Amino acid sequence: MDFGTSGCRVSLIDERGVQKFETSVKYTDTREANNKTSSSSSSMTAIWEDALWTSLENIPRETRERIVSVAIDGTSGTVIIVHPESGEPLYKAMMYNEKFEVGAQYLASESCRVPDGHVTRSSTSALSKLAHYFANEHPKPISYKLLHHADWLSYKLHENMGVSDFNNSLKLGFDPGSETYPQWMLDLPFAEALPKTMLPPGARIGVVQNPRAKEFLSNPECIVCTGTTDSVAAFIASGANEPGDACTSLGSTLAWKLISEARVDDASVGIYSHKIGDQYWLVGGACNTGGNILRAFFTNDELQSLTDTIEMENMFELNLFGVRDADFFKSNAGGDFGLEVSDAVKKCESERETCENDAVFLCKIFSSIAKAEKRCYDNANAMGASEKLKKVYTSGGGAANATWCKMRSSCLSIDNKSGSTIDVVASEYTEASYGTALLAKKGYHSR
Ligand code: ADP
């Protein structure tokens, strides 16, 4: 099950990993939900819980009875503060993109000993959210626990308090290398609230316990396994599985991930590594400037019909890989540090006037995004990601564009040390829910 920003999607797969059933539920109106207290039936947590039960109910009964393992992914960095016994939310859900400056300031105080440049220093980090609750909202006599979005929803099934996974916990400060919290975290005055049981993604937590959940997951041996974040789940779904395989998500933003033998972390440019499997790292980052620029100028239909008029040779005649374009996405080393979207759109507007037609203009945007993508992978490599890029899977709206994929392949292959062409392909499965179903399968077989 994937709990994204706008809805929940379920993928059911069989023993061989073939998807047999899919269903999705859009969240009811969430515009005001995050201003509601946790006890309100229109709060974010209530909306998520509704989507959980509704989507399980949507699965035909005879299929539901055969489910043997479930895992859930959620948006990374979204956290919920809950009562340690009942699991009931004590505060509004703190969303992945919400900034909690008070919490970040608290963590910046000398007594906390958070290392400079550490991922948790960001005001959107899960730890800043916990510090915010401690410093601002916490009624002192009550104890509380932090759960990530995915943890809380799977808690609704297994009812073991304080279980999380290595991927969701990265922004909390957990170190997947040593598989422990750093000592400075354990010394924080609210350390008691941290998840106690930390497992790799796709590990067995326990059988379904909650009576409501048992109504839908009626197989008494059905287990719940740890999930991951929504973006790692989408990566797992893509089919990428060995060092040098990567996946670029060309949705509104450009997010990239590369399987590497070495871990690469640099919060100053937004590059960080998730642990994947027993021995590899998933090095990745994101840019502001992806499909949202295309959307500022073209509808999806226009994009496709204009693309059909583009000749690959023309792209090269346009010298799109020239120096002139090189600073278009300046400093897009992989973090949210590139041009602001509005600036990039302004830049495109002035560029449009110099183009003889819209097809040429579109080529320029395509090639500029391709170059930003190349820079992301080149940087990861320069920073020590051990494997050279071999194959790039693609998800998101841009994956449908085969011409753009070809162009990206040419761009990514420039100066490729191995001399071979880097294949750019659309991912077979693009839904995060499918990747999370693979984790549920892994957990089932680890018994
Ligand atoms: P989101 O991140 O918003 O979920 P999607 O994964 O749905 O985004 O991708 C939407 C993006 O894909 C849009 O910005 C759109 O411009 C782009 N897109 C859609 N169709 C095409 C196409 N045929 N070629 C290139 N880009 C496309």
Side-chain angles (χ1 to χ4, degrees):
M1 306 184 83
D2 161 56
F3 284 78
T5 49
S6 59
C8 156
R9 184 178 292 273
V10 180
S11 291
L12 275 155
I13 62 170
D14 71 6
E15 186 55 30
R16 292 161 301 152
V18 178
Q19 184 163 294
K20 295 303 215 186
F21 181 83
E22 196 183 22
T23 181
S24 61
V25 172
K26 282 254 168 268
Y27 301 145
T28 47
D29 193 356
T30 55
R31 272 171 301 176
E32 286 297 310
N34 216 34
N35 298 324
K36 301 265 165 57
T37 57
S38 55
S39 54
S40 157
S41 61
S42 49
S43 66
M44 268 326 291
T45 45
I47 289 171
W48 292 328
E49 190 173 348
D50 261 3
L52 172 71
W53 305 132
T54 309
S55 53
L56 286 175
E57 202 169 11
N58 283 351
I59 305 169
R61 177 180 292 276
E62 61 283 6
T63 310
R64 266 193 252 143
E65 285 167 356
R66 295 170 55 209
I67 297 175
V68 291
S69 181
V70 183
I72 297 183
D73 74 74
T75 52
S76 141
T78 297
V79 302
I80 305 152
I81 305 294
V82 299
H83 189 280
E85 268 106 51
S86 69
E88 283 309 306
L90 296 170
Y91 186 53
K92 64 173 194 156
M94 290 184 266
M95 305 296 284
Y96 63 99
N97 56 355
E98 261 186 289
K99 292 187 172 158
F100 288 87
E101 301 294 351
V102 173
Q105 277 160 21
Y106 183 88
L107 293 178
S109 61
E110 232 171 80
S111 61
C112 289
R113 296 186 292 114
V114 186
D116 281 341
H118 194 269
V119 64
T120 56
R121 283 289 186 100
S122 151
S123 59
T124 58
S125 81
L127 197 64
S128 287
K129 289 165 188 159
L130 181 57
H132 164 88
Y133 183 74
F134 168 79
N136 240 20
E137 308 286 340
H138 173 215
K140 302 296 173 203
I142 300 178
S143 69
Y144 53 96
K145 297 277 181 199
L146 171 140
L147 293 178
H148 300 99
H149 190 194
D151 307 336
W152 183 72
L153 285 154
S154 62
Y155 167 84
K156 288 276 155 198
L157 308 181
H158 59 68
E159 294 191 331
N160 288 309
M161 180 49 70
V163 184
S164 189
D165 67 86
F166 293 180
N167 295 166
N168 271 299
S169 303
L170 193 71
K171 285 187 183 168
L172 181 61
F174 180 80
D175 175 17
S178 61
E179 300 187 5
T180 54
Y181 290 112
Q183 190 55 46
W184 59 261
M185 274 184 85
L186 298 172
D187 294 339
L188 291 169
F190 44 83
E192 197 42 40
L194 299 171
K196 284 263 178 308
T197 310
M198 205 57 89
L199 299 171
R204 179 196 163 101
I205 301 171
V207 293
V208 173
Q209 285 293 353
N210 180 331
R212 178 104 196 250
K214 281 182 180 173
E215 282 174 32
F216 304 114
L217 299 163
S218 52
N219 174 347
E221 289 176 15
C222 180
I223 59 166
V224 186
C225 300
T226 44
T228 178
T229 66
D230 52 352
S231 62
V232 174
F235 182 88
I236 295 170
S238 72
N241 64 10
E242 55 179 80
D245 280 356
C247 182
T248 303
S249 164
L250 289 172
S252 302
T253 56
L254 185 162
W256 59 274
K257 287 192 164 55
L258 163 69
I259 302 181
S260 161
E261 280 161 349
R263 180 178 180 178
V264 178
D265 287 300
D266 186 345
S268 70
V269 288
I271 292 186
Y272 54 90
S273 294
H274 280 293
K275 185 118 187 246
I276 184 162
D278 294 334
Q279 43 180 340
Y280 299 135
W281 294 93
L282 195 51
V283 183
C287 298
N288 287 337
T289 34
N292 44 23
I293 298 188
L294 294 167
R295 187 166 276 163
F297 296 99
F298 303 110
T299 64
N300 288 359
D301 287 347
E302 284 168 347
L303 279 176
Q304 203 48 60
S305 56
L306 269 178
T307 302
D308 293 341
T309 69
I310 296 174
E311 300 276 338
M312 283 297 285
E313 286 124 304
N314 289 349
M315 295 187 178
F316 289 97
E317 276 169 27
L318 289 165
N319 195 17
L320 288 166
F321 303 117
V323 183
R324 206 172 143 260
D325 287 325
D327 67 350
F328 185 88
F329 289 92
K330 70 177 174 200
S331 78
N332 252 354
D336 286 332
F337 304 95
L339 286 177
E340 289 296 333
V341 178
S342 53
D343 292 339
V345 168
K346 268 190 220 130
K347 212 157 180 174
C348 286
E349 268 160 8
S350 57
E351 193 71 25
R352 190 177 200 170
E353 285 160 22
T354 69
C355 295
E356 57 204 80
N357 57 43
D358 271 352
V360 173
F361 175 53
L362 180 61
C363 273
K364 290 213 169 199
I365 302 182
F366 276 171
S367 89
S368 303
I369 296 177
K371 268 187 277 208
E373 180 185 17
K374 177 171 170 56
R375 202 170 317 159
C376 291
Y377 289 118
D378 284 351
N379 273 328
N381 202 227
M383 289 168 71
S386 58
E387 281 292 327
K388 297 269 173 283
L389 198 58
K390 286 184 193 146
K391 184 169 184 177
V392 180
Y393 293 81
T394 315
S395 59
N401 193 315
T403 306
W404 194 14
C405 285
K406 260 197 236 165
M407 185 193 214
R408 289 168 48 225
S409 166
S410 309
C411 179
L412 289 166
S413 303
I414 293 173
D415 298 331
N416 181 21
K417 299 213 172 57
S418 70
S420 53
T421 304
I422 292 162
D423 271 348
V424 175
V425 296
S427 305
E428 191 185 347
Y429 289 103
T430 55
E431 298 297 349
S433 52
Y434 178 80
T436 302
L438 291 177
L439 291 176
K441 181 156 96 77
K442 181 178 172 208
Y444 179 72
H445 287 293
S446 67
R447 290 205 284 181

